[in-house]
């Protein structure tokens, strides 16, 4: 489940999808940490915050995104043991270490399932060129931006937020082009690996924090 | 319709494209081809490698193109050709190849090039990277195409011509069935 907390009006989650698999995840101001995905259910390189961890490690204390020079620490086995945590807005509370109900891979699958079903339904109703762009429930709003090349950027936000499609478009034409497309070491068309990298994550973070809605 | 693409292409070239020195670009590409020839010693293999490199460029170039051009989906393959020539080529190379008629449009890769005898005999397509770029770009927007050179002024032909054939549209992927 996706929990909405009235003190957390700036809650935001970002997913990127390619070839029907989740290739990237980032969030801001979630009250509860997403539960790590079960082993093998999520591609490597999506987000160190939700990778499966075979051993249980105590969660590190939260650090401000701007003070830490490195956003992740890797153990020898390549499993992330610490991750960048965007601190909640200044109500003075630290995020609780408890997890939300669903493991991340199931949450992602649900999100994609809804999006996929709605897209197919709209196409049947209205034809190839129409696509749905947003829906809203009592607890969140979902925004979809899809490129002609098959990348789907999905954002979940506070239900009272305005359309975030322009933000998704800015993430695509800004950080994504600069740090994923133009990085020769990033595999563009991989079905086995996500697109998480430090520059992309930080640039997206900066873009989000600079939005007037966060100020 | 065609004037709209022409003006989009010109606008993108003028305002939204970082420029690079043309000689530097031509020399870099030339050095690359020479290195491939030395490494592979087989012109057919060099052609293949150039095409593969082009493919890897193409799958990235298309994102760059989509991000800056905001064009919608083309309605038919004829429009694809228009957009590729008038907007794509214009934006990245500042040349607009002609689509149906054979016309010598300047090839920025081959400006300073003269092919030696053995490259001509060996069948080298010097600018074969273009074929890969076209294949890569179009595959990412769900079109499987074959692109190949028909003629090249570097080989003494009258024109430089690339033929692009639409093989099939690629189906949109559906998620795997339930576990």
């Amino acid at each position: 489940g996706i929990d909405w907390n009235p003190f957390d009006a700036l809650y935001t989650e970002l997913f990127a999808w390619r070839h029907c698999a989740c290739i990237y995840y980032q969030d801001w101001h979630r009250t509860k940490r997403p539960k790590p995905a079960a082993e093998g259910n999520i591609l490597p390189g999506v987000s160190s915050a939700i990778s499966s961890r075979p051993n249980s490690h105590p969660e590190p204390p939260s650090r401000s995104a701007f003070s830490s020079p490195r956003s992740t620490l890797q153990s020898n086995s390549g499993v992330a043991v610490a991750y960048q945590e965007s601190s909640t807005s200044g109500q003075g509370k630290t995020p609780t270490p408890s997890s939300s109900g669903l493991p991340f891979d199931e949450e992602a699958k649900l999100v994609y399932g809804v999006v996929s079903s709605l897209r197919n339904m709209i196409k049947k109703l209205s034809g190839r060129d129409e696509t749905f762009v947003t829906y809203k429930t009592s607890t969140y709003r979902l925004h979809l931006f899809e490129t002609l090349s098959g990348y789907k950027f999905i954002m979940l936000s506070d239900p009272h937020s305005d359309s975030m499609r322009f933000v998704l478009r800015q993430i695509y034409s800004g950080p994504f082009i600069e740090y994923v497309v133009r990085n020769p070491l990033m595999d563009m068309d991989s079905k086995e690996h996500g697109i998480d990298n430090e520059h992309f994550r930080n640039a997206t973070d900066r873009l989000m924090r600079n939005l007037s809605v966060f100020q | 319709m065609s004037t709209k693409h022409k003006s989009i292409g010109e606008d993108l070239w003028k305002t939204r494209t970082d420029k690079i020195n043309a000689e530097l670009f031509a020399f870099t590409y030339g050095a690359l081809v020479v290195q491939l020839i030395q490494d592979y010693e087989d012109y057919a293999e060099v052609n293949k490698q150039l095409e593969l490199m082009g493919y890897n460029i193409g799958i990235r170039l298309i994102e760059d193109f989509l991000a800056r051009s905001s064009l919608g989906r083309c309605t038919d393959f004829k429009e694809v050709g228009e957009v590729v020539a008038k907007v794509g080529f214009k934006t990245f190379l500042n040349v607009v190849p002609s689509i149906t008629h054979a016309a010598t449009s300047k090839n920025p890769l081959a400006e300073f090039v003269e092919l030696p005898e053995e490259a001509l005999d060996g069948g080298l397509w010097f600018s074969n990277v273009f074929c890969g770029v076209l294949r890569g770009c179009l595959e990412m927007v769900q079109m499987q195409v074959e692109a190949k050179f028909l003629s090249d002024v570097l080989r003494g032909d009258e024109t430089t011509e690339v033929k692009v054939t639409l093989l099939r549209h690629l189906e949109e992927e559906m998620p795997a069935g339930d576990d």
Side-chain angles (χ1 to χ4, degrees):
Chain A
I2 296 155
D3 299 298
W4 181 60
N5 181 319
F7 295 109
D8 227 359
L10 304 177
Y11 147 84
T12 307
E13 288 180 68
L14 168 71
F15 297 78
W17 291 82
R18 187 91 206 273
H19 299 308
C20 306
C22 183
I23 56 170
Y24 188 74
Y25 177 76
Q26 194 169 356
D27 62 41
W28 294 264
H29 308 307
R30 275 186 86 146
T31 41
K32 293 180 178 179
R33 302 310 319 151
K35 210 167 173 179
E39 184 93 43
N41 280 3
I42 203 92
L43 296 180
V46 171
S47 165
S48 45
I50 47 77
S51 309
S52 57
R53 282 170 242 174
N55 313 312
S56 62
H57 294 269
E59 307 224 344
S62 64
R63 290 175 290 161
S64 157
F66 297 113
S67 63
S68 62
R70 286 190 58 81
S71 56
T72 59
L73 291 171
Q74 302 274 344
S75 71
N76 293 341
S77 64
V79 172
V81 298
Y83 50 87
Q84 173 179 12
E85 182 154 313
S86 340
S87 55
T88 55
S89 53
Q91 270 85 29
K93 32 182 250 180
T94 50
T96 60
S98 66
S99 316
S100 66
L102 287 176
F104 175 79
D105 52 313
E106 291 188 29
E107 184 182 322
K109 208 159 116 181
L110 282 176
V111 170
Y112 190 74
V114 175
V115 170
S116 190
S117 307
L118 284 172
R119 282 175 77 241
N120 292 341
M121 191 163 68
I122 299 297
K123 282 202 163 73
K124 285 195 177 114
L125 280 173
S126 325
R128 192 173 186 227
D129 292 331
E130 291 240 8
T131 182
F132 98 94
V133 295
T134 184
Y135 75 81
K136 194 161 84 164
T137 75
S138 51
T139 54
Y140 69 92
R141 185 169 177 185
L142 181 144
H143 317 257
L144 169 69
F145 169 70
E146 194 177 343
T147 70
L148 289 180
S149 48
Y151 283 95
K152 298 171 184 56
F153 294 91
I154 294 169
M155 186 162 274
L156 304 188
S157 71
D158 181 273
H160 306 299
S161 71
D162 293 326
S163 169
M164 300 285 265
R165 259 171 64 85
F166 80 98
V167 175
L168 291 172
R169 197 172 213 297
Q170 282 184 329
I171 292 173
Y172 173 66
S173 56
F176 179 75
I177 294 289
E178 276 206 62
Y179 299 116
V180 177
V181 173
R182 289 189 184 161
N183 182 341
L185 301 176
M186 296 294 297
D187 192 340
M188 282 292 294
D189 210 31
S190 172
K191 295 187 168 140
E192 280 141 36
H193 207 273
I195 58 169
D196 191 10
N197 77 51
E198 201 172 326
H199 287 310
F200 178 52
R201 191 163 285 274
N202 291 341
T204 304
D205 188 58
R206 276 196 304 273
L207 193 154
M208 291 297 294
R209 287 178 195 278
N210 284 336
L211 294 175
S212 57
V213 73
F214 274 154
Q215 285 161 7
Chain B
M1 171 72 96
S2 58
T3 43
K4 162 187 139 182
H5 289 139
K6 182 161 175 278
S7 57
I8 292 172
E10 276 168 10
D11 179 62
L12 286 176
W13 168 254
K14 283 196 193 111
T15 62
R16 301 197 63 185
T17 303
D18 292 332
K19 313 289 191 299
I20 184 184
N21 178 281
E23 281 91 4
L24 177 62
F25 179 61
F27 290 151
T28 304
Y29 184 74
L32 187 118
V33 176
V34 165
Q35 194 60 52
L36 285 174
I37 293 169
Q38 284 173 0
D39 289 345
Y40 286 97
E41 294 178 347
D42 175 311
Y43 290 108
E45 190 61 35
V46 172
N47 287 341
K48 191 168 134 210
Q49 292 301 322
L50 287 174
E51 206 272 351
L52 272 175
M53 280 176 50
Y55 178 81
N56 286 322
I57 293 171
I59 63 173
R60 293 171 194 273
L61 206 68
I62 183 68
E63 305 299 337
D64 218 297
F65 180 72
L66 290 174
R68 71 175 82 187
S69 72
S70 318
L71 286 170
R73 200 174 281 284
C74 293
T75 46
D76 54 34
F77 199 61
K78 182 161 175 289
E79 196 184 343
V80 172
E82 282 256 324
V83 172
V84 167
K86 296 205 167 91
V87 193
F89 268 84
K90 177 70 182 176
T91 302
F92 292 110
L93 291 172
N94 198 27
V95 293
V96 179
S98 208
I99 301 175
T100 46
H101 309 292
T104 342
S105 167
K106 196 179 82 163
N107 177 355
L109 296 178
E111 209 181 323
F112 308 110
V113 175
E114 194 180 297
L115 289 181
E117 226 20 82
E118 52 171 52
L120 291 168
D121 293 337
L124 176 71
W125 293 113
F126 185 81
S127 311
N128 214 35
V129 71
F130 283 135
C131 297
V133 173
L134 289 166
R135 181 170 70 92
C137 281
L138 293 174
E139 187 178 304
M140 293 300 110
V141 287
Q142 289 97 47
M143 282 174 269
Q144 188 175 52
V145 302
E146 182 194 53
K148 56 181 191 187
F149 270 89
L150 295 179
S151 63
D152 191 350
V153 296
L154 290 180
R155 288 163 60 123
D157 301 320
E158 281 205 16
T159 61
T160 301
E161 238 182 301
V162 174
K163 179 171 176 181
V164 184
T165 317
L166 174 65
L167 298 175
R168 62 188 183 113
H169 284 284
L170 296 167
E171 284 307 314
E172 217 185 284
E173 294 149 322
M174 299 304 288
D178 285 0
D179 298 307

